[in-house]
Amino acid sequence: MTEATHDEAHEGALGSRLNWLRAGVLGANDGIVSTAGLVVGVAGATDDRGALLTAGLAGLLAGSMSMAAGEYVSVSTQLDSEKAALAMERRELKEQPEAELEELTDLLEQRGLSREVAREAAQQLTERDALRAHARVELGIDPDDLTNPWHAAGASFVSFTVGALLPLLAIVLPPGGWRLPVTVVSVLASLFVTGWVSARLGAADPRHAVLRNVAGGALAMGVTYLAGVLLGAAGT
């Protein structure tokens, strides 16, 4: 019984790390696409390095702050829900312990244990830590590892910023005639990598993910570049 719990804890920790890693890759992907679309659009209207740098930095800061704020609000809501669920479970355990023991027995039985073994396991788990047992089995929550909105916001900020730096540097560092092709090639190459990594982390076919990623990025840059050209022509 102890060994099974130990293995499950490791599997849960691994799944949590993979989820964070996948979220980081997707955040970087968002930074690449949004900033690339912005700077390529500006490049369609002007080749001034200062204008490109200003637009890219503004997009990087706005995007990273928006991602961080959105993730903070989302995860804070999730944390509030987890705390409320734990508080309700704590109250139910105090007011109706026998009913909660029966509920835990039923849940363990539904997972494949015989009725007798499920009852014994439920009693042992309840004696050890009733709230922890119900939190994990019934709610799917680890009381010692609740979601942290600040960690989520920081991770989103960093991943988006790292992704956004690539098109920003690609558009401002090369000489004038090379800026656009260097940016397009580097962005598509990075989208190939992020698509492949996110698919592998999700145990999906990387070919479809890579194709969607690269095609979406190419379309975003094409549309914004065309808009920049049209606006630049209208401005002159």
Side-chain angles (χ1 to χ4, degrees):
M1 192 66 171
T2 304
E3 185 177 352
T5 305
H6 181 71
D7 291 341
E8 183 179 348
H10 277 294
E11 290 173 5
L14 178 59
S16 177
R17 286 195 296 270
L18 288 177
N19 286 336
W20 276 103
L21 184 55
R22 185 157 51 243
V25 171
L26 294 176
N29 192 78
D30 288 343
I32 293 169
V33 174
S34 60
T35 306
L38 177 61
V39 296
V40 167
V42 174
T46 178
D47 61 353
D48 181 71
R49 191 190 302 268
L52 294 171
L53 178 60
T54 300
L57 283 175
L60 184 154
L61 291 173
S64 59
M65 292 301 296
S66 175
M67 288 283 291
E71 194 70 12
Y72 178 83
V73 171
S74 175
V75 176
S76 292
T77 302
Q78 180 182 346
L79 178 61
D80 291 341
S81 299
E82 291 176 347
K83 288 181 176 179
L86 289 173
M88 179 179 293
E89 198 64 40
R90 188 179 292 108
R91 184 171 61 254
E92 291 176 346
L93 285 168
K94 181 179 180 180
E95 295 175 354
Q96 44 189 7
E98 288 301 323
E100 289 298 297
L101 177 61
E102 187 67 24
E103 181 182 35
L104 183 59
T105 301
D106 292 340
L107 290 170
L108 292 173
E109 186 178 10
Q110 291 171 14
R111 296 192 174 191
L113 299 179
S114 67
R115 185 68 184 179
E116 295 75 15
V117 174
R119 183 71 176 185
E120 181 182 353
Q123 290 174 337
Q124 291 185 14
L125 289 171
T126 298
E127 291 171 1
R128 184 178 303 172
D129 192 327
L131 179 61
R132 185 185 305 278
H134 281 267
R136 290 182 171 176
V137 177
E138 180 182 350
L139 304 176
I141 298 174
D142 184 351
D144 296 327
D145 190 26
L146 298 180
T147 53
N148 188 314
W150 287 109
H151 290 171
S156 293
F157 181 90
V158 170
S159 62
F160 187 96
T161 300
V162 170
L165 280 174
L166 186 140
L168 175 59
L169 296 176
I171 202 72
V172 299
L173 292 181
W178 287 92
R179 287 174 188 161
L180 194 58
V182 167
T183 300
V184 170
V185 170
S186 60
V187 165
L188 295 181
S190 62
L191 290 177
F192 179 96
V193 173
T194 56
W196 186 88
V197 171
S198 62
R200 297 301 297 173
L201 290 174
D205 186 347
R207 292 173 296 180
H208 297 135
V210 166
L211 180 60
R212 288 193 299 266
N213 225 28
V214 172
L219 179 61
M221 289 188 289
V223 169
T224 55
Y225 180 75
L226 178 60
V229 170
L230 294 175
L231 290 174
T236 57

